[in-house]
Amino acid sequence: MGQGQSKGSSPSPPQRNYYYPPPVVSPPSPPLGDAWRNLSWVDNHKTLTKVQDYQPTISEIRHLRVLIYGPVGCGKSSFINSVSSVLRGRIAIPALASATTSDRSFTTKYQTHKIRNGRGSSATVYPVVFNDIMGLEEGVDCGVHPDDIKLAMLGHVKDGYRFNPLAPLLEENPNYNPTPTADDKVHVLVCVHSGNASEIKLSVLQKMKNVQQLASDLGIPQMAMITKIDHACPETEKDLRNVYRSKYLKKKMKAFSAQVGIPMNCIFPVKNYSDEISMNKAVDTLILSALEKMIDFGDDFIEN
């Protein structure tokens, strides 16, 4: 009988040590002396006005359509909510987003998110709309089917279609749009990736490259958003205006560019509205910087 164990008592269960990996953050390092990308943090009015006043030059196109895709949990829906918040001047959540981390996509339906301008019967919508799709998941037969992404780019997917990882949308399905107009088609493709993710899984990376190749074949301009930069880097967590002085984020963006093939000048670090209950000027500046380029790239594609 072991020491301290009374007769007839059962042995204590073995102790188990649970390991919870720490979040991926950059090691402390002094920020660069000079910013490697110029951005004005003083006044957002000029950029905000440009975005708010934008109108497509082609009469049959009412909306510049942006398709958002990326790995699960990267902040796709939160980015749409952040854009809506900036344009409306208050915290808004038109796209449902999950606050928990999972290996399964929270978004399961195809939906067009229009941002309202004004209130009541006189309200209009901004001519830039966002489509969110199911996330890219690790493994085969998981997450959004690649054929569905191509169909979405071509305007064949109707709002409300529930994605099926095992099979793409078929022509006989009532959610299939057989005669898409120029307004239904995607004009900008935006990849969203988390800045504090450790690495892109090989199967997910291959899916991302497949999506990019489909867009390239269709001539659709592509961009990338690096989210959660405040969680990834101590310098930006302390002051978001250090984003273009962060050695870690620049290195992270260069590595992402090399992996997925999107040029550096088409990659934008942003912070989504997450725990804030009021607007933040620095957050707005980064969102508007990215949104302005979406409109520029998409408008060039529409005109051509």
Side-chain angles (χ1 to χ4, degrees), residues 25-26 228-238 246 248-249:
V25 295
S26 68
K228 305 180 182 180
I229 57 174
D230 54 323
H231 295 163
C233 175
E235 290 90 19
T236 51
E237 183 179 28
K238 181 172 63 175
S246 167
Y248 174 78
L249 284 177

Side-chain angles (χ1 to χ4, degrees), residues 32-160:
L32 298 168
D34 296 319
W36 57 272
R37 183 180 285 178
N38 292 325
L39 189 64
S40 173
W41 300 94
V42 179
D43 186 12
N44 291 327
H45 179 72
K46 182 178 178 180
T47 307
L48 181 60
T49 300
K50 174 183 175 180
V51 171
Q52 290 175 331
D53 293 346
Y54 169 74
Q55 291 290 335
T57 55
I58 308 300
S59 59
E60 59 265 32
I61 297 179
R62 296 174 299 159
H63 307 104
L64 187 151
R65 190 173 300 276
V66 180
L67 180 63
I68 306 288
Y69 80 102
V72 173
C74 62
K76 301 187 304 300
S77 300
S78 294
F79 176 73
I80 295 173
N81 291 337
S82 298
V83 170
S84 180
S85 297
V86 173
L87 291 182
R88 301 185 71 181
R90 64 172 179 82
I91 301 298
I93 49 171
L96 294 179
S98 175
T100 59
T101 302
S102 172
D103 59 352
R104 291 290 178 263
S105 178
F106 183 75
T107 301
T108 58
K109 290 183 178 181
Y110 190 67
Q111 184 176 357
T112 299
H113 296 281
K114 299 179 180 180
I115 302 172
R116 292 172 62 83
N117 181 14
R119 299 179 62 195
S121 59
S122 62
T124 58
V125 294
Y126 286 105
V128 180
V129 300
F130 293 84
N131 283 99
D132 194 6
I133 62 173
M134 191 177 193
L136 301 175
E137 298 178 10
E138 186 180 2
V140 181
D141 297 334
C142 298
V144 62
H145 196 285
D147 289 352
D148 279 345
I149 300 180
K150 182 177 182 179
L151 291 174
M153 291 185 202
L154 294 170
H156 287 298
V157 183
K158 293 182 180 180
D159 270 15

